Amino acid sequence: LLRSGTRFYVNANPRETNMPTVFNPTFDFQRDVFDFANDVNLPRQQGAALVKSRFHHRCEGMTRACQQFWRGARFEPGDRLDIVEEKQRVAQILRRPVYWPPLERDERQILPGYEGLRSFSHVHVAWLPWLFNNLLRTHFHLGVQRMAYPFTRKGQQKHALGILHDLALGKLVVLHASRFPVVSINHFIVCFSASETESVIEFKAYDPNRPSTPILLTYDKAGRQFIYPKTHYFDGGPVNVNRAYRNCLW
């Protein structure tokens, strides 16, 4: 199934690739994610002193904001706005619920002078990360609390198929990976493409902890189990996955 000029592309010729791929042609990993990581030291003004503060535990806010920028911002060539106007437009972007449909091009907030979110966040790393520090909203969101309830293999299969379906519709999909009651991982990522074989589905995703390269989340069809890769913050292994921001509750 190939469509040009629309919002999704499916390469479904297994004879050529042996790996049918679903992805959104409007999303570019090198352009449309934050340039800073979820675990970095950033300068922050406190009184008259400029100090270094550890920025962490903001993966939920960063993945949500990545979606909001992708759905509601328009980066264009031109002269940059003054910082006050830019902050006002960013506030409008982040105020719009993440589960609402993407805005049409002429309805989006324009941020001229940048190629995309990566270049914009690189320039504004001094203040932009601090917009994602509402931990109460994170912990009380029902999608996060879902990790405390049992996950079934049938339910995980349903999520895997749901991710494929959403990607084919041209959506980005925010995923919450956890191993409750073990707390070795409690993390959000943004899935933007998937490749499928007879035995597995490989979901490629933006990881706020590692903005330089995508990660691969694997779904084992036989075991109906998601496998998270080994990273600098997780040893790798089976995880439970939930799709976040499907509506106002979840």
Side-chain angles (χ1 to χ4, degrees):
L1 176 60
L2 305 175
R3 296 191 180 184
S4 59
T6 57
R7 301 181 58 190
F8 65 92
Y9 178 93
V10 180
N11 177 4
N13 191 341
R15 293 182 180 178
E16 292 184 0
T17 65
N18 199 33
M19 202 76 163
T21 301
V22 182
F23 64 93
N24 191 303
T26 66
F27 181 84
D28 184 340
F29 179 83
Q30 296 303 325
R31 182 193 64 200
D32 297 326
V33 304
F34 290 102
D35 188 60
F36 52 81
N38 178 43
D39 187 21
V40 295
N41 273 316
L42 296 173
R44 189 171 193 182
Q45 192 77 33
Q46 293 185 355
L50 189 64
V51 300
K52 287 281 188 175
S53 299
R54 176 61 69 177
F55 175 79
H56 54 75
H57 302 313
R58 303 293 187 267
C59 61
E60 182 273 338
M62 291 180 68
T63 54
R64 172 168 34 84
C66 179
Q67 276 266 39
Q68 289 170 310
F69 272 99
W70 188 71
R71 290 168 178 253
R74 197 169 103 210
F75 296 96
E76 292 187 343
D79 295 332
R80 294 177 181 176
L81 305 171
D82 65 78
I83 188 64
V84 174
E85 179 63 24
E86 284 187 335
K87 287 184 177 181
Q88 290 176 347
R89 296 193 181 191
V90 168
Q92 290 294 326
I93 293 168
L94 299 182
R95 189 174 294 124
R96 190 170 187 270
V98 66
Y99 48 84
W100 285 8
L103 292 170
E104 297 297 331
R105 178 177 173 81
D106 58 355
E107 298 175 325
R108 298 181 173 224
Q109 295 291 329
I110 302 174
L111 294 168
Y114 306 93
E115 183 182 357
L117 180 57
R118 188 181 289 274
S119 59
F120 180 81
S121 60
H122 178 79
V123 172
H124 296 301
V125 67
W127 62 269
L128 189 57
W130 305 110
L131 298 180
F132 316 135
N133 63 352
N134 193 335
L135 291 181
L136 287 178
R137 177 168 60 181
T138 298
H139 294 318
F140 283 101
H141 191 276
L142 291 180
V144 176
Q145 295 182 25
R146 170 66 182 86
M147 72 177 184
Y149 296 88
F151 285 83
T152 65
R153 295 307 96 204
K154 183 177 180 180
Q156 290 295 272
Q157 181 185 45
K158 182 178 179 180
H159 276 300
L161 296 176
I163 298 168
L164 286 177
H165 177 264
D166 288 346
L167 290 173
L169 292 178
K171 299 178 181 180
L172 300 182
V173 187
V174 177
L175 303 177
H176 180 213
S178 63
R179 293 189 64 178
F180 190 86
V182 180
V183 291
S184 55
I185 185 170
N186 177 21
H187 193 47
F188 285 80
I189 58 177
V190 181
C191 181
F192 59 87
S193 76
S195 300
E196 183 176 12
T197 66
E198 292 184 359
S199 58
V200 301
I201 305 174
E202 289 187 341
F203 295 103
K204 188 176 290 187
Y206 156 58
D207 177 4
N209 289 353
R210 194 177 67 177
S212 58
T213 56
I215 66 167
L216 285 179
L217 177 71
T218 303
Y219 176 74
D220 175 42
K221 294 181 179 179
R224 295 189 291 183
Q225 177 73 67
F226 286 93
I227 309 297
Y228 204 90
K230 180 178 176 61
T231 65
H232 66 280
Y233 56 87
F234 180 59
D235 289 336
V239 294
N240 294 317
V241 168
N242 183 46
R243 285 177 292 157
Y245 300 117
R246 287 171 281 162
N247 51 50
C248 61
L249 296 178
W250 299 100

